[in-house]
Amino acid sequence: MCGRFVQKLPPEELTTIVGAEGPIPNIPARYNAAPTQDLAVVRFNAKTGRRAIDLLRWGLVPSWEKDLKGGAKLINARSETLAERRSFAKAFQTRRCLVPADGFYEWAPDRTPHFVRRLDGRPMLFAGLWEGWKDPQSEEWVRTFTIVTADAVERLRPIHHRMPVMLEPEQWRAWLGEESASPAQLQALLAPPADLPVEAHPVSTRVNAVRNDDPTLMDRAA
């Protein structure tokens, strides 16, 4: 499960890290990114042969949905069933993306919130899927995304049994569709290594409220 995360890396720095090209959208820092918000996503454009950073709405809305409301339910996609579930199957084949994050929040069974970050200080690049939905009234297109999750690594399991899938730079090309990869090869990318360099610490319950959005949310709770 991933219901909140941090996305604070300056756009110019993020562009360099992921090798994106083209216009950089206005990306405000988010310390409590939440579903239905517009957030930065990295996609590969097969026509231009380039990676780009775009703002997409968090919560995938399949093309057949009548409205956007259902998107709030599809903020995560289980890695084990991407190829089988109708909501994700087509996107898994042709619309895969990366979701940059500087860490994410997870709630333990006793409802204590924790902040999870990489030990090496590098940003996380979550595996994601995106979809286009056309508003039947205005005929405007809305692009949405979901974050792929897998079984949590052992050190995070006491907090929650699921976690977002983090991809390493050498895996980005296959996931973004820049090079050919079979469904089996793609599935293999979604298994977190046991030695994933992450750690978690408890944080203030202020993170429970979406209206709170500042750097102190990441601080260790007293």
Side-chain angles (χ1 to χ4, degrees):
M1 177 68 178
C2 178
R4 303 280 180 81
F5 65 96
V6 174
Q7 197 174 78
K8 65 179 180 62
L9 204 64
E12 296 76 13
E13 189 174 342
L14 175 60
T15 298
T16 300
I17 290 173
V18 301
E21 299 181 58
I24 303 174
N26 179 27
I27 307 173
R30 297 278 192 180
Y31 298 94
N32 198 6
T36 73
Q37 292 178 346
D38 290 336
L39 300 164
V41 167
V42 181
R43 298 186 294 171
F44 174 68
N45 187 323
K47 293 182 179 179
T48 64
R50 297 176 178 176
R51 294 176 187 173
I53 298 174
D54 302 297
L55 289 175
L56 274 65
R57 189 179 193 267
W58 186 13
L60 190 136
V61 180
S63 59
W64 63 82
E65 287 285 358
K66 295 181 179 179
D67 55 50
L68 286 170
K69 294 178 182 177
K73 300 176 183 177
L74 299 181
I75 61 171
N76 292 161
R78 293 178 64 89
S79 60
E80 300 88 344
T81 57
L82 293 182
E84 305 163 12
R85 190 169 175 186
R86 184 187 176 212
S87 298
F88 306 128
K90 190 62 177 178
F92 178 51
Q93 292 175 15
T94 60
R95 288 182 289 277
R96 300 182 298 274
C97 61
L98 297 172
V99 183
D102 298 274
F104 65 94
Y105 300 103
E106 193 52 84
W107 282 256
D110 65 358
R111 300 311 298 159
T112 299
H114 289 71
F115 179 63
V116 182
R117 69 178 186 90
R118 287 187 64 110
L119 286 167
D120 55 17
R122 291 167 47 202
M124 300 171 174
L125 273 296
F126 300 152
L129 306 175
W130 70 275
E131 190 60 86
W133 179 82
K134 189 175 184 179
D135 189 317
Q137 311 258 309
S138 65
E139 296 193 343
E140 292 183 0
W141 283 93
V142 179
R143 266 73 186 185
T144 63
F145 75 93
T146 187
I147 293 171
V148 179
T149 66
D151 286 338
V153 293
E154 187 174 355
R155 67 182 63 182
L156 297 182
R157 220 165 285 157
I159 301 172
H160 200 279
H161 66 286
R162 303 289 292 182
M163 61 174 283
V165 173
M166 302 170 209
L167 298 180
E168 298 299 323
E170 62 271 19
Q171 299 173 310
W172 296 349
R173 286 182 55 81
W175 185 254
L176 289 173
E178 297 172 10
E179 60 185 39
S180 180
S182 68
Q185 289 172 321
L186 292 172
Q187 283 289 351
L189 298 178
L190 304 177
D195 59 351
L196 188 69
V198 292
E199 68 171 4
H201 62 254
V203 295
S204 168
T205 54
R206 291 182 60 246
V207 74
N208 295 350
V210 176
R211 66 177 178 275
N212 296 323
D213 188 9
D214 61 77
T216 65
L217 295 178
M218 301 181 293
D219 294 346
R220 183 182 293 272

